Short mmCIF file of all heavy atoms in Angstrom, two decimals:
data_model
loop_
_atom_site.label_atom_id
_atom_site.label_comp_id
_atom_site.label_asym_id
_atom_site.label_seq_id
_atom_site.Cartn_x
_atom_site.Cartn_y
_atom_site.Cartn_z
N ILE A 110 -15.85 -9.31 2.32
CA ILE A 110 -16.44 -9.52 0.99
C ILE A 110 -17.44 -8.42 0.67
O ILE A 110 -17.50 -7.93 -0.48
CB ILE A 110 -17.10 -10.92 0.92
CG1 ILE A 110 -16.01 -12.01 0.97
CG2 ILE A 110 -17.94 -11.07 -0.33
CD1 ILE A 110 -16.55 -13.42 1.12
N ALA A 111 -18.19 -7.96 1.66
CA ALA A 111 -19.12 -6.85 1.44
C ALA A 111 -18.37 -5.58 1.06
O ALA A 111 -18.79 -4.83 0.17
CB ALA A 111 -19.97 -6.61 2.69
N ARG A 112 -17.25 -5.33 1.74
CA ARG A 112 -16.44 -4.15 1.42
C ARG A 112 -15.87 -4.26 0.01
O ARG A 112 -15.82 -3.28 -0.75
CB ARG A 112 -15.31 -4.00 2.43
CG ARG A 112 -15.75 -3.65 3.85
CD ARG A 112 -16.18 -2.19 3.96
NE ARG A 112 -16.48 -1.83 5.33
CZ ARG A 112 -15.59 -1.39 6.20
NH1 ARG A 112 -14.32 -1.27 5.85
NH2 ARG A 112 -15.94 -1.08 7.43
N ILE A 113 -15.40 -5.45 -0.35
CA ILE A 113 -14.86 -5.65 -1.70
C ILE A 113 -15.93 -5.38 -2.75
O ILE A 113 -15.68 -4.68 -3.74
CB ILE A 113 -14.30 -7.09 -1.84
CG1 ILE A 113 -13.01 -7.23 -1.04
CG2 ILE A 113 -14.08 -7.44 -3.31
CD1 ILE A 113 -12.49 -8.66 -0.95
N ARG A 114 -17.12 -5.90 -2.54
CA ARG A 114 -18.20 -5.67 -3.50
C ARG A 114 -18.54 -4.18 -3.59
O ARG A 114 -18.80 -3.67 -4.69
CB ARG A 114 -19.44 -6.45 -3.09
CG ARG A 114 -19.31 -7.97 -3.24
CD ARG A 114 -20.67 -8.65 -3.10
NE ARG A 114 -20.56 -10.09 -3.11
CZ ARG A 114 -20.41 -10.84 -4.19
NH1 ARG A 114 -20.33 -10.25 -5.38
NH2 ARG A 114 -20.34 -12.16 -4.11
N ALA A 115 -18.53 -3.48 -2.45
CA ALA A 115 -18.85 -2.04 -2.46
C ALA A 115 -17.82 -1.25 -3.25
O ALA A 115 -18.17 -0.37 -4.04
CB ALA A 115 -18.94 -1.53 -1.03
N VAL A 116 -16.54 -1.56 -3.07
CA VAL A 116 -15.49 -0.86 -3.80
C VAL A 116 -15.58 -1.17 -5.29
O VAL A 116 -15.43 -0.28 -6.14
CB VAL A 116 -14.10 -1.22 -3.25
CG1 VAL A 116 -12.99 -0.64 -4.14
CG2 VAL A 116 -13.93 -0.70 -1.82
N LEU A 117 -15.84 -2.42 -5.63
CA LEU A 117 -15.96 -2.80 -7.04
C LEU A 117 -17.15 -2.10 -7.69
O LEU A 117 -17.05 -1.62 -8.83
CB LEU A 117 -16.11 -4.31 -7.18
CG LEU A 117 -14.85 -5.14 -6.93
CD1 LEU A 117 -15.18 -6.62 -6.91
CD2 LEU A 117 -13.78 -4.85 -7.99
N ARG A 118 -18.27 -2.01 -6.97
CA ARG A 118 -19.43 -1.30 -7.53
C ARG A 118 -19.11 0.15 -7.79
O ARG A 118 -19.47 0.72 -8.83
CB ARG A 118 -20.63 -1.39 -6.57
CG ARG A 118 -21.34 -2.73 -6.58
CD ARG A 118 -22.71 -2.62 -5.92
NE ARG A 118 -22.63 -2.16 -4.55
CZ ARG A 118 -22.51 -2.96 -3.51
NH1 ARG A 118 -22.44 -4.26 -3.68
NH2 ARG A 118 -22.46 -2.46 -2.29
N ARG A 119 -18.42 0.77 -6.84
CA ARG A 119 -18.06 2.18 -6.99
C ARG A 119 -17.10 2.37 -8.16
O ARG A 119 -17.22 3.32 -8.93
CB ARG A 119 -17.42 2.69 -5.69
CG ARG A 119 -17.19 4.18 -5.67
CD ARG A 119 -16.79 4.63 -4.28
NE ARG A 119 -15.50 4.09 -3.87
CZ ARG A 119 -14.93 4.36 -2.71
NH1 ARG A 119 -15.53 5.13 -1.84
NH2 ARG A 119 -13.75 3.84 -2.40
N THR A 120 -16.17 1.44 -8.32
CA THR A 120 -15.22 1.53 -9.42
C THR A 120 -15.89 1.28 -10.76
O THR A 120 -15.67 2.01 -11.73
CB THR A 120 -14.08 0.51 -9.21
OG1 THR A 120 -13.47 0.74 -7.94
CG2 THR A 120 -13.02 0.66 -10.29
N GLU A 121 -16.72 0.25 -10.81
CA GLU A 121 -17.37 -0.12 -12.07
C GLU A 121 -18.35 0.95 -12.52
O GLU A 121 -18.54 1.17 -13.73
CB GLU A 121 -18.08 -1.46 -11.90
CG GLU A 121 -17.10 -2.62 -11.80
CD GLU A 121 -17.73 -3.89 -11.27
OE1 GLU A 121 -18.96 -3.87 -11.02
OE2 GLU A 121 -17.00 -4.88 -11.09
N ALA A 122 -18.97 1.66 -11.57
CA ALA A 122 -19.89 2.73 -11.94
C ALA A 122 -19.18 3.84 -12.69
O ALA A 122 -19.77 4.53 -13.52
CB ALA A 122 -20.56 3.30 -10.69
N ARG A 123 -17.86 3.98 -12.42
CA ARG A 123 -17.09 5.02 -13.09
C ARG A 123 -16.58 4.60 -14.46
O ARG A 123 -16.05 5.41 -15.21
CB ARG A 123 -15.89 5.41 -12.22
CG ARG A 123 -16.29 6.07 -10.91
CD ARG A 123 -16.80 7.46 -11.14
NE ARG A 123 -17.46 8.01 -9.97
CZ ARG A 123 -17.92 9.24 -9.89
NH1 ARG A 123 -17.81 10.05 -10.90
NH2 ARG A 123 -18.52 9.66 -8.79
N SER A 124 -16.73 3.32 -14.80
CA SER A 124 -16.18 2.83 -16.06
C SER A 124 -17.24 2.27 -17.00
O SER A 124 -16.91 1.63 -17.98
CB SER A 124 -15.12 1.75 -15.80
OG SER A 124 -15.67 0.67 -15.08
N GLN A 125 -18.53 2.50 -16.69
CA GLN A 125 -19.60 2.01 -17.54
C GLN A 125 -19.58 2.73 -18.88
O GLN A 125 -19.33 3.93 -18.95
CB GLN A 125 -20.96 2.24 -16.87
CG GLN A 125 -21.23 1.33 -15.70
CD GLN A 125 -21.41 -0.11 -16.12
OE1 GLN A 125 -21.95 -0.39 -17.18
NE2 GLN A 125 -20.92 -1.02 -15.31
N PRO A 126 -19.86 2.03 -19.99
CA PRO A 126 -19.99 2.70 -21.29
C PRO A 126 -21.10 3.74 -21.23
O PRO A 126 -22.07 3.59 -20.47
CB PRO A 126 -20.36 1.55 -22.24
CG PRO A 126 -19.86 0.32 -21.56
CD PRO A 126 -20.01 0.59 -20.09
N VAL A 127 -20.95 4.77 -22.03
CA VAL A 127 -21.91 5.87 -21.99
C VAL A 127 -23.33 5.39 -22.21
O VAL A 127 -24.27 5.87 -21.59
CB VAL A 127 -21.53 6.94 -23.05
CG1 VAL A 127 -22.61 8.00 -23.15
CG2 VAL A 127 -20.20 7.57 -22.70
N GLY A 128 -23.53 4.40 -23.07
CA GLY A 128 -24.87 3.91 -23.36
C GLY A 128 -25.53 3.24 -22.19
O GLY A 128 -26.74 3.03 -22.19
N ASN A 129 -24.78 2.90 -21.15
CA ASN A 129 -25.34 2.18 -20.00
C ASN A 129 -25.56 3.06 -18.79
O ASN A 129 -25.90 2.59 -17.73
CB ASN A 129 -24.41 1.04 -19.59
CG ASN A 129 -24.38 -0.03 -20.65
OD1 ASN A 129 -25.23 -0.08 -21.52
ND2 ASN A 129 -23.39 -0.91 -20.57
N VAL A 130 -25.31 4.34 -18.91
CA VAL A 130 -25.54 5.25 -17.79
C VAL A 130 -26.43 6.37 -18.25
O VAL A 130 -26.60 6.64 -19.44
CB VAL A 130 -24.19 5.83 -17.28
CG1 VAL A 130 -23.34 4.73 -16.69
CG2 VAL A 130 -23.42 6.53 -18.40
N ASP A 131 -27.07 7.04 -17.30
CA ASP A 131 -27.97 8.12 -17.68
C ASP A 131 -27.18 9.35 -18.10
O ASP A 131 -25.96 9.42 -17.94
CB ASP A 131 -28.96 8.45 -16.55
CG ASP A 131 -28.27 8.91 -15.28
OD1 ASP A 131 -27.24 9.59 -15.38
OD2 ASP A 131 -28.77 8.58 -14.19
N ASP A 132 -27.89 10.32 -18.68
CA ASP A 132 -27.21 11.49 -19.26
C ASP A 132 -26.43 12.26 -18.22
O ASP A 132 -25.34 12.78 -18.50
CB ASP A 132 -28.24 12.42 -19.92
CG ASP A 132 -28.85 11.79 -21.17
OD1 ASP A 132 -28.23 10.83 -21.69
OD2 ASP A 132 -29.93 12.23 -21.59
N ALA A 133 -26.96 12.37 -17.00
CA ALA A 133 -26.26 13.14 -15.96
C ALA A 133 -24.94 12.49 -15.62
O ALA A 133 -23.93 13.16 -15.41
CB ALA A 133 -27.14 13.25 -14.72
N GLN A 134 -24.92 11.13 -15.55
CA GLN A 134 -23.68 10.44 -15.23
C GLN A 134 -22.71 10.50 -16.39
O GLN A 134 -21.50 10.56 -16.21
CB GLN A 134 -23.98 8.98 -14.88
CG GLN A 134 -24.70 8.79 -13.56
CD GLN A 134 -25.02 7.33 -13.34
OE1 GLN A 134 -25.63 6.67 -14.19
NE2 GLN A 134 -24.63 6.80 -12.21
N ALA A 135 -23.26 10.43 -17.63
CA ALA A 135 -22.40 10.29 -18.79
C ALA A 135 -21.75 11.61 -19.21
O ALA A 135 -20.75 11.61 -19.90
CB ALA A 135 -23.21 9.74 -19.96
N ALA A 136 -22.36 12.74 -18.82
CA ALA A 136 -21.90 14.02 -19.29
C ALA A 136 -20.47 14.31 -18.85
O ALA A 136 -20.13 14.14 -17.68
CB ALA A 136 -22.83 15.13 -18.79
N GLU A 137 -19.65 14.73 -19.79
CA GLU A 137 -18.29 15.13 -19.45
C GLU A 137 -18.32 16.47 -18.72
O GLU A 137 -19.22 17.28 -18.91
CB GLU A 137 -17.44 15.26 -20.71
CG GLU A 137 -17.04 13.94 -21.33
CD GLU A 137 -15.97 14.12 -22.39
OE1 GLU A 137 -15.74 15.29 -22.82
OE2 GLU A 137 -15.36 13.12 -22.80
N ILE A 138 -17.33 16.66 -17.87
CA ILE A 138 -17.16 17.92 -17.16
C ILE A 138 -15.95 18.63 -17.77
O ILE A 138 -14.85 18.07 -17.78
CB ILE A 138 -16.93 17.69 -15.66
CG1 ILE A 138 -18.11 16.94 -15.05
CG2 ILE A 138 -16.69 19.01 -14.93
CD1 ILE A 138 -17.84 16.43 -13.65
N VAL A 139 -16.15 19.82 -18.28
CA VAL A 139 -15.06 20.60 -18.86
C VAL A 139 -14.96 21.92 -18.10
O VAL A 139 -15.92 22.70 -18.06
CB VAL A 139 -15.29 20.88 -20.36
CG1 VAL A 139 -14.13 21.69 -20.92
CG2 VAL A 139 -15.43 19.56 -21.13
N ARG A 140 -13.82 22.11 -17.47
CA ARG A 140 -13.57 23.33 -16.70
C ARG A 140 -12.22 23.88 -17.13
O ARG A 140 -11.17 23.47 -16.63
CB ARG A 140 -13.56 23.04 -15.20
CG ARG A 140 -14.85 22.43 -14.65
CD ARG A 140 -15.97 23.46 -14.61
NE ARG A 140 -17.18 22.92 -13.99
CZ ARG A 140 -18.22 22.44 -14.66
NH1 ARG A 140 -18.19 22.45 -16.00
NH2 ARG A 140 -19.29 21.97 -14.04
N GLY A 141 -12.25 24.80 -18.10
CA GLY A 141 -10.99 25.32 -18.62
C GLY A 141 -10.19 24.20 -19.26
O GLY A 141 -10.66 23.53 -20.19
N ARG A 142 -8.99 23.96 -18.76
CA ARG A 142 -8.14 22.92 -19.33
C ARG A 142 -8.40 21.53 -18.74
O ARG A 142 -7.81 20.55 -19.18
CB ARG A 142 -6.67 23.30 -19.14
CG ARG A 142 -6.24 24.47 -20.03
CD ARG A 142 -4.75 24.74 -19.91
NE ARG A 142 -4.43 25.44 -18.67
CZ ARG A 142 -3.18 25.62 -18.23
NH1 ARG A 142 -2.16 25.09 -18.91
NH2 ARG A 142 -2.95 26.28 -17.13
N LEU A 143 -9.29 21.48 -17.75
CA LEU A 143 -9.65 20.19 -17.15
C LEU A 143 -10.81 19.55 -17.91
O LEU A 143 -11.81 20.20 -18.21
CB LEU A 143 -10.08 20.40 -15.69
CG LEU A 143 -10.62 19.15 -14.98
CD1 LEU A 143 -9.50 18.15 -14.71
CD2 LEU A 143 -11.32 19.55 -13.68
N ARG A 144 -10.66 18.27 -18.19
CA ARG A 144 -11.74 17.49 -18.79
C ARG A 144 -11.89 16.21 -17.99
O ARG A 144 -10.93 15.46 -17.80
CB ARG A 144 -11.45 17.17 -20.26
CG ARG A 144 -12.58 16.39 -20.95
CD ARG A 144 -12.25 16.16 -22.42
NE ARG A 144 -12.21 17.41 -23.15
CZ ARG A 144 -13.26 17.98 -23.76
NH1 ARG A 144 -14.44 17.39 -23.69
NH2 ARG A 144 -13.13 19.10 -24.40
N MET A 145 -13.10 15.94 -17.51
CA MET A 145 -13.38 14.73 -16.75
C MET A 145 -14.50 13.96 -17.45
O MET A 145 -15.52 14.54 -17.81
CB MET A 145 -13.82 15.06 -15.32
CG MET A 145 -12.80 15.83 -14.51
SD MET A 145 -13.36 16.11 -12.79
CE MET A 145 -13.31 14.43 -12.14
N ASP A 146 -14.29 12.66 -17.61
CA ASP A 146 -15.31 11.78 -18.19
C ASP A 146 -15.70 10.77 -17.12
O ASP A 146 -15.06 9.73 -16.97
CB ASP A 146 -14.73 11.06 -19.42
CG ASP A 146 -15.76 10.20 -20.14
OD1 ASP A 146 -16.85 9.98 -19.57
OD2 ASP A 146 -15.49 9.75 -21.26
N PRO A 147 -16.74 11.05 -16.33
CA PRO A 147 -17.13 10.16 -15.24
C PRO A 147 -17.49 8.76 -15.70
O PRO A 147 -17.22 7.79 -15.01
CB PRO A 147 -18.35 10.87 -14.61
CG PRO A 147 -18.17 12.30 -14.97
CD PRO A 147 -17.57 12.28 -16.35
N ALA A 148 -18.10 8.63 -16.89
CA ALA A 148 -18.52 7.31 -17.36
C ALA A 148 -17.33 6.40 -17.61
O ALA A 148 -17.41 5.18 -17.45
CB ALA A 148 -19.34 7.45 -18.64
N ARG A 149 -16.20 6.98 -17.99
CA ARG A 149 -15.01 6.18 -18.29
C ARG A 149 -13.90 6.36 -17.26
O ARG A 149 -12.82 5.81 -17.42
CB ARG A 149 -14.48 6.53 -19.69
CG ARG A 149 -15.46 6.20 -20.80
CD ARG A 149 -14.88 6.53 -22.17
NE ARG A 149 -15.76 6.14 -23.24
CZ ARG A 149 -16.75 6.89 -23.73
NH1 ARG A 149 -16.98 8.09 -23.20
NH2 ARG A 149 -17.51 6.45 -24.71
N HIS A 150 -14.17 7.15 -16.24
CA HIS A 150 -13.17 7.42 -15.20
C HIS A 150 -11.87 7.94 -15.82
O HIS A 150 -10.78 7.45 -15.54
CB HIS A 150 -12.90 6.16 -14.37
CG HIS A 150 -12.08 6.42 -13.15
ND1 HIS A 150 -12.62 6.97 -12.01
CD2 HIS A 150 -10.77 6.22 -12.88
CE1 HIS A 150 -11.66 7.08 -11.10
NE2 HIS A 150 -10.54 6.64 -11.61
N ARG A 151 -12.01 8.92 -16.68
CA ARG A 151 -10.85 9.51 -17.35
C ARG A 151 -10.74 10.99 -17.02
O ARG A 151 -11.74 11.70 -16.95
CB ARG A 151 -10.94 9.34 -18.87
CG ARG A 151 -10.81 7.90 -19.33
CD ARG A 151 -10.97 7.78 -20.83
NE ARG A 151 -10.87 6.40 -21.28
CZ ARG A 151 -11.17 5.99 -22.51
NH1 ARG A 151 -11.60 6.86 -23.41
NH2 ARG A 151 -11.05 4.71 -22.83
N VAL A 152 -9.51 11.43 -16.81
CA VAL A 152 -9.22 12.83 -16.51
C VAL A 152 -8.06 13.28 -17.38
O VAL A 152 -7.09 12.54 -17.57
CB VAL A 152 -8.84 13.02 -15.02
CG1 VAL A 152 -8.53 14.48 -14.72
CG2 VAL A 152 -9.95 12.52 -14.11
#
Side-chain angles (χ1 to χ4, degrees):
I110 292 171
R112 292 285 186 88
I113 288 172
R114 291 192 186 281
V116 172
L117 287 172
R118 283 196 301 270
R119 188 170 65 178
T120 304
E121 289 164 3
R123 294 288 167 175
S124 59
Q125 288 292 325
V127 172
N129 293 344
V130 294
D131 61 35
D132 291 342
Q134 290 177 307
E137 286 192 346
I138 301 168
V139 180
R140 301 287 184 262
R142 289 185 283 170
L143 174 71
R144 182 178 294 270
M145 300 183 69
D146 184 348
R149 297 182 176 87
H150 190 78
R151 292 178 181 170
V152 179

